[in-house]
Amino acid sequence: MLKKILDAIWQYFKKLDKMLFVAVCGVSAFSVVLMYSLVHNGITERNTNMYKIQFACLCIGAVTALLISAFDYHKFIKLWFLYVPGAVGLTLLTFTSLVYKPAENVDDAAWIDLGFTTLQPSEFLKIAFIMSFAYHLSKTGDRINHFGRVILLCIHGAVPTLIVVAQGDDGTALVFFFMFVCMIFAAGISWKYILPCIIAAPGAVWILWDKIMLPHQKMRFLVLFQEDPMSDPEFANIAYQQYWGKLALGSGQVFGRGLFADDYVSVPYVRNDFIFTYVGQCFGFIGCITLVGILAYICLKIVADSRIAKDDLGKYMCIGVFAMLFIHCVLNLGMVLGVLPVIGVPLPFVSQGGSSMVSMFVCIGLVMSVYSHSEKNYRVFYDAN
């Protein structure tokens, strides 16, 4: 009996995607160190225990990812009738009296107040969407280019996107849209549907800009084209965070000031969306490039795992996780560097946030499950031969 248990454990670790897991845990541990530095240096006073919370979420997420990877992903996917209503229902609670609106962004009603902490349910809606949409695509199969099927797939993608738009969370809405596009493209959507969308895109952008976007949303784009926005009273307030963020990013020069130095450049809400500016201050250009390199490796490793998946379901799921992480990185780094507007998208595994940390580890667990079960006759804890 003991020999069988040891053999099962050995088989589990043999099939585990160890490189991906180590890379993700390493970046997450780095985040905990950054949070401790922020608290130790008195840069953030909102929550002096945030590094402890970040570490707890790292541990919870890592254990959850390992547990998920041990089981065949088909078992989770087929339970869509449980996790989809659960995730949607939890997200809809943000439209009730339980909603929590941060003081810095009262238009973004994306959190639930649990009393002892807050929860961002859209993070778990992302997981539900990746799993359910991958299942939908795999069931559609070769019939994906039938017009009726395309309409159903578009409705599937539109529902979570519109929910988070109604919350006022434009950044997360973009994440959902990008996941939808990448996954449906990977499934083989025909160019007869893609080309009309490309042709209609300029008109759609004009309607969005002229008829839908609010004045403050337009200002976030217009400020990017100003030579000296801080000298213009109309743009100074909008440009404030990005202006100081770029100063902070460059202040670390090549090797940075270290984790416990003096006279850091103060950036509003540096612990979450602008955490990359603190990486620049502490570790300089070398640290920033290293972090970007590791995040790029994680994204590319997930794409590589999608290519060895034993079926389309595993492939689509990996592509969905890749799309989520990739667009998070692009949007976050773009707004820090001042080439994209500030839209409140955290840097994966680095920004402060328990909901984001745990949900992304769950997604990594799904990818590791695809990797572990890439052999058609293999099941973790069971050797078919």
Side-chain angles (χ1 to χ4, degrees):
M1 183 65 179
L2 179 60
K3 185 177 183 299
K4 289 184 178 181
I5 294 175
L6 293 175
D7 286 343
I9 294 174
W10 168 248
Q11 287 294 323
Y12 168 70
F13 282 103
K14 184 179 177 181
K15 294 294 181 180
L16 184 66
D17 192 348
K18 293 177 280 292
M19 295 301 293
L20 177 61
F21 185 69
V22 169
V24 170
C25 287
V27 174
S28 302
F30 178 63
S31 171
V32 176
V33 173
L34 292 175
M35 297 303 122
Y36 177 78
S37 176
L38 285 168
V39 173
H40 181 273
N41 295 326
I43 296 175
T44 178
E45 298 179 355
R46 180 181 178 184
N47 186 355
T48 56
N49 292 320
M50 67 180 185
Y51 66 92
K52 298 178 182 178
I53 297 174
Q54 196 82 341
F55 178 71
C57 291
L58 161 60
C59 295
I60 293 170
V63 171
T64 302
L66 289 173
L67 289 174
I68 291 174
S69 69
F71 296 93
D72 191 336
Y73 55 93
H74 293 85
K75 305 297 183 182
F76 300 109
I77 296 295
K78 292 178 181 179
L79 297 175
W80 63 267
F81 55 89
L82 295 177
Y83 60 77
V84 170
V88 172
L90 195 63
T91 305
L92 291 177
L93 287 177
T94 59
F95 298 96
T96 70
S97 58
L98 293 175
V99 66
Y100 168 77
K101 298 181 180 181
E104 61 268 24
N105 192 358
V106 294
D107 295 328
D108 189 353
W111 286 266
I112 295 175
D113 187 356
L114 300 179
F116 60 94
T117 188
T118 58
L119 178 72
Q120 189 172 9
S122 60
E123 295 295 334
F124 302 100
L125 186 62
K126 292 175 188 175
I127 304 172
F129 174 74
I130 290 171
M131 295 171 67
S132 62
F133 197 57
Y135 188 60
H136 191 166
L137 288 170
S138 68
K139 285 296 184 181
T140 301
D142 295 336
R143 298 167 294 171
I144 186 174
N145 290 308
H146 293 187
F147 183 74
R149 303 284 180 176
V150 173
I151 294 298
L152 289 175
L153 290 168
C154 289
I155 292 174
H156 193 153
V159 170
T161 304
L162 293 176
I163 290 176
V164 296
V165 166
Q167 289 180 329
D169 192 350
D170 299 328
T172 300
L174 283 175
V175 173
F176 274 104
F177 177 74
F178 189 75
M179 289 192 296
F180 167 79
V181 170
C182 288
M183 292 176 75
I184 202 170
F185 188 81
I189 191 74
S190 173
W191 283 98
K192 70 180 181 181
Y193 296 110
I194 298 174
L195 287 176
C197 291
I198 294 175
I199 294 171
V205 170
W206 179 82
I207 293 173
L208 180 65
W209 179 269
D210 193 62
K211 306 296 182 182
I212 299 177
M213 290 181 65
L214 299 174
H216 74 274
Q217 294 173 320
K218 295 180 181 180
M219 292 288 285
R220 291 180 180 180
F221 283 91
L222 294 174
V223 72
L224 301 176
F225 302 97
Q226 305 300 310
E227 291 186 7
D228 186 13
M230 294 301 291
S231 64
D232 188 335
E234 186 179 10
F235 292 101
N237 187 51
I238 296 292
Y240 184 84
Q241 191 174 22
Q242 283 182 313
Y243 173 79
W244 286 106
K246 286 188 284 187
L247 286 180
L249 190 62
S251 67
Q253 300 183 13
V254 178
F255 298 104
R257 302 181 178 185
L259 286 167
F260 307 107
D262 297 320
D263 300 325
Y264 289 103
V265 177
S266 177
V267 181
Y269 311 110
V270 67
R271 66 188 178 278
N272 36 39
D273 299 341
F274 274 69
I275 189 63
F276 193 68
T277 65
Y278 195 64
V279 176
Q281 291 194 78
C282 294
F283 298 98
F285 177 78
I286 299 299
C288 289
I289 290 298
T290 301
L291 177 59
V292 171
I294 297 173
L295 291 173
Y297 169 78
I298 292 171
C299 290
L300 292 174
K301 185 67 174 67
I302 293 172
V303 173
D305 288 353
S306 75
R307 295 177 63 85
I308 65 170
K310 66 181 178 182
D311 56 16
D312 287 339
L313 177 58
K315 170 187 172 183
Y316 300 149
M317 195 161 59
C318 287
I319 293 299
V321 176
F322 157 77
M324 180 190 70
L325 293 178
F326 179 78
I327 195 62
H328 264 268
C329 292
V330 170
L331 292 176
N332 182 274
L333 296 178
M335 68 182 185
V336 169
L337 296 173
V339 296
L340 291 176
V342 177
I343 51 177
V345 174
L347 190 61
F349 304 108
V350 185
S351 295
Q352 185 259 335
S355 301
S356 176
M357 177 78 79
V358 173
S359 66
M360 289 188 178
F361 262 106
V362 170
C363 290
I364 293 298
L366 294 172
V367 173
M368 293 196 301
S369 176
V370 173
Y371 180 91
S372 297
H373 298 86
S374 58
E375 296 179 12
K376 294 184 181 297
N377 295 324
Y378 176 77
R379 296 291 184 275
V380 173
F381 300 135
Y382 170 70
D383 189 352
N385 296 322

